[in-house]
Amino acid sequence: MSDDSQRTGHCLCGAVRFSATVNKPHVGACHCSMCRRWSSAPYMEIECAGVRFEGEEHITRFRSSDWAERGFCSKCGSNLFYRIIDSNNYQMAVGLFDDQSGLRFTLQVFTDETPDFYAFANETKMLTGAEIFAMYAPTDDETT
């Protein structure tokens, strides 16, 4: 990846375009049942900040939990992002980026939900669902 961490991308039909600052050139995969149902595979993402969308009117946002939402293009159905509601960061679908050079696959989450019919050969950090909830889910004190 070049020194410039600014990247652009778009959905399949081009109705939604975006520019974003890639926080780190690290790709993550989520194996949770929701991500697999949403994308029919693990959700492959890269964490970004400063995301600016063109064609925002074509983005449908779905609140998939108390703390997160998912976005997709209402015209072509492309998965666009997963986002913690109280965060400015987006986990953008890595396949949408115009330039995917210099990216490295470094993290897998919800590994305890990975089905038996696939396994990645890459050596990555691997976290279970319980480990992810311990890191990010609101505690009872935060929800009251």
Side-chain angles (χ1 to χ4, degrees):
M1 182 165 104
S2 71
D3 291 340
D4 183 11
S5 60
Q6 192 70 22
R7 302 242 180 160
T8 60
H10 59 86
C11 66
L12 185 62
C13 72
V16 177
R17 297 185 175 277
F18 67 90
S19 63
T21 300
V22 173
N23 291 344
K24 295 179 185 173
H26 299 170
V27 174
C30 183
H31 302 281
C32 80
S33 60
M34 281 196 288
C35 281
R36 287 185 291 110
R37 187 169 302 277
W38 185 41
S39 57
S40 191
Y43 180 62
M44 304 290 288
E45 56 80 19
I46 189 159
E47 187 175 317
C48 298
V51 179
R52 291 184 313 277
F53 292 104
E54 294 176 30
E56 179 99 35
E57 68 273 16
H58 301 296
I59 297 175
T60 297
R61 294 171 185 264
F62 171 70
R63 189 136 184 188
S64 57
S65 68
D66 289 340
W67 62 85
E69 68 179 359
R70 297 164 190 267
F72 63 93
C73 174
S74 62
K75 291 188 81 163
C76 68
S78 293
N79 296 333
L80 302 171
F81 61 82
Y82 172 88
R83 184 177 80 86
I84 304 293
I85 303 288
D86 293 333
S87 168
N88 291 325
N89 289 335
Y90 287 77
Q91 283 74 42
M92 298 297 295
V94 72
L96 303 176
F97 285 90
D98 298 323
D99 177 7
Q100 297 175 18
S101 64
L103 302 178
R104 291 186 350 220
F105 183 31
T106 61
L107 175 66
Q108 296 181 63
V109 298
F110 286 88
T111 55
D112 52 324
E113 294 188 31
T114 306
D116 294 337
F117 64 85
Y118 71 81
F120 291 119
N122 307 61
E123 288 189 31
T124 65
K125 183 174 183 178
M126 303 190 51
L127 299 171
T128 65
E131 291 168 318
I132 291 296
F133 282 119
M135 291 169 60
Y136 298 110
T139 64
D140 289 336
D141 294 341
E142 293 174 320
T143 57
T144 57

